[in-house]
Amino acid sequence: MIVLGIESSCDECAAGIVEDGTKIRSNVVATQIPFHAAYNGVVPEIASRKHTEWIDTVVRESLAEAGITPDTVDAVAAAAQPGLLGSLVVGLTFAKAFAWARNLPFIAVDHMLAHLYAAQLSGEKPDYPFLGLLVSGGHTIICRADSFDSVTVLGTTIDDAVGESFDKVSKFYGFGYPGGKFIDDLAKTGDPAAFRFPLPNLYKGAHRYDVSYSGLKTAVVNQKEQFRLKNESTPADLAASFQKTAIDILLRALFRAVEDTGLSTVVIGGGVAANSYLRDCLKNHPDIRSIMPPPILCGDNGAMVAGIAYHYLIRGDRSPLTVRASARVSNFRRQLLK
Ligand code: KG4
Ligand code: ZN
């Protein structure tokens, strides 16, 4: 079954063609980063306008790259939530129109569930249940997955998302936009022990698997002298020390969940899942089987949308064309977006 997946929740205008849920035939991602870089953040109005300009070309390219015509497509899917409303509406409406015009099944998917599914596109199939770590610019979620569409949130951030903290620190020091990749690269030549930034004091009661980034951000931006251990320090040292603390915060909560649930398979997804320190820590952990998408599938893309949609389709699910976009994170419990 050949599925066209469309993703426009933020600043990537993307479409992918996936066969039978795992075989990527094409994955076209047109990034808007240069248009937002001047503002050091995504400008919603610019994002939705660019999606409107590009979506037709991006979908055509995804078909051409896959070597197929629209007639070969068996179903259409699009991310409907969460994300920027004006951006989501563009991809979702395009997908609905494509499906309606060709009388094809249509599936509206949750962007975060699609991120969690992305690892399966690389061919490695985790057995359910497993623990998921969803880390992006807008979300930080530790969850238990019982199936591709049944996910229980165990922990989340109580303030900033982890990717947001990379972006804010990078913006403050002028490292580059978006910050994650720049900090990751800079950190490679830095000393992660140059600064010892404080870890949040959560991990109790209802917050057992929650994380927090506002304290770290403040320390790195306003109080870095207080936490400096070396006399001489470079921007690379700062990047490496921040990155280590930001990822250790995640891992502390994740490892707690591993211990408490007895689930030792961890699947990661979202833009921050491309972080090299995070990947090394998980890969080298003796008691954890980690399943990670290749870096190219960590960020927003259409293949993950097409991939997860296949599983709804073979179950016989269909979304009505009246389904609406929503900026909010779903409760994940719903069987299908309606
Ligand atoms: O999933 P994504 O592409 O978009 C959202 O849904 O938010 O994630 C983007 C986030 C940005 O905050 C970006 O700085 C971060 O992922 N990111 C990284 C890395 N690559 C991207 N963070 C840390 N290390 C990276 N290598
Ligand atoms: Zn995303």
Side-chain angles (χ1 to χ4, degrees):
M1 181 188 287
I2 293 188
V3 182
L4 161 65
I6 294 177
E7 159 60 49
S8 69
S9 63
C10 191
D11 59 345
E12 317 287 10
C13 188
I17 306 284
V18 176
E19 198 172 331
D20 296 339
T22 49
K23 188 168 175 230
I24 301 178
R25 299 275 300 263
S26 69
N27 194 22
V28 176
V29 181
T31 183
Q32 302 178 0
I33 286 173
F35 297 92
H36 302 285
Y39 307 93
N40 272 306
V42 178
V43 182
E45 180 66 21
I46 295 177
S48 47
R49 280 172 191 260
K50 287 289 158 205
H51 285 306
T52 309
E53 284 169 28
W54 293 355
I55 188 73
D56 183 48
T57 310
V58 166
V59 170
R60 280 176 200 275
E61 262 183 44
S62 72
L63 294 167
E65 239 180 60
I68 59 170
T69 64
D71 294 338
T72 324
V73 174
D74 296 310
V76 190
Q81 66 181 52
L84 299 171
L85 199 57
S87 291
L88 283 166
V89 163
V90 178
L92 185 65
T93 308
F94 191 97
K96 286 180 187 175
F98 193 108
W100 179 78
R102 299 186 168 270
N103 203 19
L104 294 174
F106 167 69
I107 299 288
V109 311
D110 182 284
H111 175 80
M112 298 312 291
L113 290 183
H115 269 310
L116 189 60
Y117 182 79
Q120 300 192 37
L121 290 167
S122 49
E124 219 177 333
K125 224 171 164 253
D127 290 325
Y128 294 101
F130 57 74
L131 288 177
L133 179 67
L134 292 171
V135 279
S136 69
H139 304 285
T140 309
I141 293 170
I142 292 172
C143 58
R144 174 196 162 104
D146 287 287
S147 75
F148 74 93
D149 72 334
S150 173
V151 168
T152 309
V153 175
L154 302 177
T156 183
T157 177
I158 60 164
D159 39 57
D160 291 351
V162 57
E164 191 180 352
S165 76
F166 274 83
D167 296 340
K168 284 181 174 168
V169 166
S170 185
K171 176 181 175 181
F172 185 83
Y173 288 104
F175 293 154
Y177 168 82
K181 180 82 176 79
F182 285 97
I183 289 181
D184 195 348
D185 288 345
L186 194 56
K188 291 194 169 77
T189 56
D191 175 8
F195 296 81
R196 196 186 305 125
F197 293 120
L199 293 165
N201 191 20
L202 289 168
Y203 316 120
K204 287 187 222 90
H207 290 301
R208 195 160 169 76
Y209 313 112
D210 285 345
V211 294
S212 161
Y213 284 98
S214 69
L216 173 62
K217 181 191 65 193
T218 307
V220 176
V221 167
N222 297 325
Q223 305 156 348
K224 70 178 164 60
E225 295 312 319
Q226 208 175 309
F227 302 105
R228 195 172 68 177
L229 301 180
K230 285 203 318 193
N231 286 337
E232 294 297 317
S233 60
T234 63
D237 290 339
L238 188 80
S241 303
F242 160 72
Q243 173 175 273
K244 179 174 173 0
T245 314
I247 299 300
D248 285 351
I249 289 173
L250 277 182
L251 293 176
R252 233 171 32 150
L254 178 70
F255 293 160
R256 233 164 237 271
V258 169
E259 214 175 291
D260 292 353
T261 61
L263 299 174
S264 57
T265 300
V266 172
V267 176
I268 64 174
V272 184
N275 184 266
S276 52
Y277 174 64
L278 171 65
R279 297 173 80 90
D280 286 346
C281 289
L282 287 175
K283 208 166 51 198
N284 298 328
H285 196 292
D287 305 322
I288 287 180
R289 179 188 173 211
S290 53
I291 302 185
M292 335 191 192
I296 189 87
L297 292 175
C298 289
D300 295 345
N301 67 86
M304 66 183 190
V305 172
I308 192 172
Y310 169 77
H311 295 273
Y312 290 105
L313 288 159
I314 55 171
R315 198 168 65 186
D317 290 339
R318 302 290 181 266
S319 295
L321 292 180
T322 48
V323 68
R324 288 174 179 222
S326 166
R328 302 233 301 260
V329 187
S330 75
N331 61 14
F332 287 141
R333 298 298 197 128
R334 272 179 273 181
Q335 298 282 294
L336 182 68
L337 301 180
K338 294 200 173 99

